Amino acid sequence: MRIKLYNMMEKVVEDALADVLQQSNHVCDCEECKVDIMAIALNHLPPKYVGTRKGEVFTKLNTLSNQFNSDAVIEITKAIDIVNKKPNHEKL
Ligand SMILES: [Zn+2]
């Protein structure tokens, strides 16, 4: 298949998470916690699938990202709370 299905929400959440983490300094930002936070947030957000050719996804994203960014931030904030209280690893 030349055109791939892609859940745009993944990128929206990834970008929004980077922003949120930059503004909060008491959140563990290791790979493990980030993936956990993204997984929890994505499970609470409706997926937004788009068909994309190579390289096309980011153009579409820019237009749609703003639309879903605030939803993503809300779910990320909740997810950070959950992961912060119960991280999947020992406290560093
Ligand atoms: Zn961590």
Side-chain angles (χ1 to χ4, degrees):
M1 227 174 12
R2 300 265 289 280
I3 301 180
K4 281 203 166 160
L5 257 186
Y6 179 78
N7 179 9
M8 248 189 37
M9 261 320 188
E10 283 183 29
K11 183 75 179 120
V12 174
V13 165
E14 201 183 329
D15 288 351
L17 177 60
D19 287 347
V20 174
L21 285 179
Q22 230 172 31
Q23 287 159 29
S24 40
N25 44 17
H26 50 87
V27 178
C28 177
D29 66 347
C30 77
E31 201 80 337
E32 213 174 332
C33 289
K34 274 203 236 176
V35 169
D36 278 350
I37 292 164
M38 280 181 66
I40 294 168
L42 280 166
N43 281 335
H44 287 102
L45 289 160
K48 294 281 172 227
Y49 282 101
V50 288
T52 55
R53 284 168 222 270
K54 258 194 177 166
E56 218 182 57
V57 63
F58 296 105
T59 335
K60 284 193 185 175
L61 254 171
N62 285 340
T63 19
L64 289 160
S65 176
N66 289 336
Q67 229 173 300
F68 301 116
N69 183 270
S70 51
D71 293 343
V73 168
I74 292 169
E75 290 305 331
I76 286 166
T77 310
K78 286 191 222 164
I80 284 176
D81 240 32
I82 296 167
V83 173
N84 242 359
K85 278 180 194 143
K86 207 172 175 302
N88 266 333
H89 57 72
E90 299 294 318
K91 281 220 180 300
L92 299 174

